[in-house]
Amino acid sequence: MSDKLSKKTGFLNKHAEDKSELSSFLAAAKGAVAAPEGSERGRLIFALDATMSRQPTWDQACHLQEEMFIEAGRVGSLDVQLVFFRGYGECKSSRWVSNSKELGRMMRKIRVQAGRTQIRKVLDHALSETRKKRVQAVVYIGDCMEENPDLICDKAGELGMLGVPVFVFQEGQDIVAERTYREIARLSNGVYLNFDEGSAASLRGLLAAIATFSAGGREALERLEQSGHKGAQFLIEHLR
């Protein structure tokens, strides 16, 4: 009996140790978002739903990215990769670019097409990229979700463990999409925000803050916040 009790006690102690180690690992992973080091350039993935429902606001999205580069350029250098999906199973990524005009040209060449969402592919691509070389953040802009949410959230959780927050911006009021979008942000330690045509200025400011975060890390974001930048203030509050 004593042997059984001893074994049971040992198992419980081991279980407690494992749980403690897991908690420590999760806490460390949550704070693992790193600023680029030295001359390293920040890397941000800018992902867009290019299915037909996005047509009314597609041109607006093409202009929003310019502010990201302007603000990021004040604190460091930033490379951005455009990822988009549309049509029947089409999900593409651009080369990494370092200026807003080049990214803008690529975005203007894209035409929306009817199709289903492919958010899981976007997150899987982000995982692949950051395993090659650290990606500081992912920005995703979309309006709906037509996939298995568990499979999407699994990828979001992996990104969170690798220290890559996903900043999700939702157009419209699709409740199904909102639930999944919020989980993507939570699991990756990112931020969810709903926006409409009237909140373009707020979105522009937030994208500028995210670019600053990607190029210079938390310290650069805090400096931007101290200057009174609304987007940085909002981001700092939601990253706590």
Side-chain angles (χ1 to χ4, degrees), residues 143-145 170-183 192 194:
D143 62 348
C144 59
M145 196 284 299
Q170 181 184 2
E171 293 179 291
Q173 305 295 326
D174 188 312
I175 297 299
V176 173
E178 180 180 341
R179 290 195 192 102
T180 303
Y181 287 177
R182 286 186 181 277
E183 277 298 285
Y192 163 86
N194 183 274

Side-chain angles (χ1 to χ4, degrees), residues 8 10 18 34 38-39 43 56 74 77 86 107-108 113 132 138 159 174 191 194 199 214-215 217 223:
K8 185 175 181 181
D18 289 345
S39 60
R43 303 208 314 161
R74 293 173 182 162
S77 50
R86 64 182 181 179
M107 291 180 70
R108 284 190 290 273
Q113 293 180 7
K132 296 174 190 173
V138 176
L159 285 168
D174 188 312
V191 174
N194 183 274
S199 57
S214 300
R223 286 199 301 271

Side-chain angles (χ1 to χ4, degrees), residues 46 48-50 54-69 82 99-112 141 171 195 203-204 207:
F46 191 61
L48 299 164
D49 176 341
R54 294 288 322 288
Q55 179 66 67
T57 52
W58 182 256
D59 291 339
Q60 181 187 66
C62 291
H63 294 292
L64 287 171
Q65 51 81 22
E66 184 174 1
E67 187 70 21
M68 293 195 307
F69 280 100
L82 174 66
N99 67 77
S100 60
K101 289 183 179 178
E102 191 172 1
L103 183 62
R105 279 195 298 270
M106 288 191 296
M107 291 180 70
R108 284 190 290 273
K109 289 179 181 178
I110 301 169
R111 294 291 177 266
V112 299
I141 301 177
E171 293 179 291
F195 75 100
L203 179 58
R204 186 178 294 108
L207 289 174

Side-chain angles (χ1 to χ4, degrees), residues 5-98:
L5 181 60
S6 177
K7 287 179 180 179
K8 185 175 181 181
T9 303
F11 172 79
L12 291 174
N13 289 339
K14 180 65 168 59
H15 180 69
E17 288 174 8
D18 289 345
K19 190 174 181 180
S20 176
E21 287 176 4
L22 178 60
S23 297
S24 298
F25 176 73
L26 291 173
K30 189 171 183 178
V33 180
E37 297 179 359
S39 60
E40 184 185 2
R41 299 178 67 86
R43 303 208 314 161
L44 183 150
I45 290 176
F46 191 61
L48 299 164
D49 176 341
T51 56
M52 194 64 75
S53 61
R54 294 288 322 288
Q55 179 66 67
T57 52
W58 182 256
D59 291 339
Q60 181 187 66
C62 291
H63 294 292
L64 287 171
Q65 51 81 22
E66 184 174 1
E67 187 70 21
M68 293 195 307
F69 280 100
I70 293 172
E71 204 61 62
R74 293 173 182 162
V75 297
S77 50
L78 180 68
D79 290 335
V80 176
Q81 184 183 59
L82 174 66
V83 178
F84 68 93
F85 58 79
R86 64 182 181 179
Y88 182 73
E90 182 183 5
C91 183
K92 293 184 176 180
S93 60
S94 74
R95 63 187 182 280
W96 289 93
V97 299
S98 58

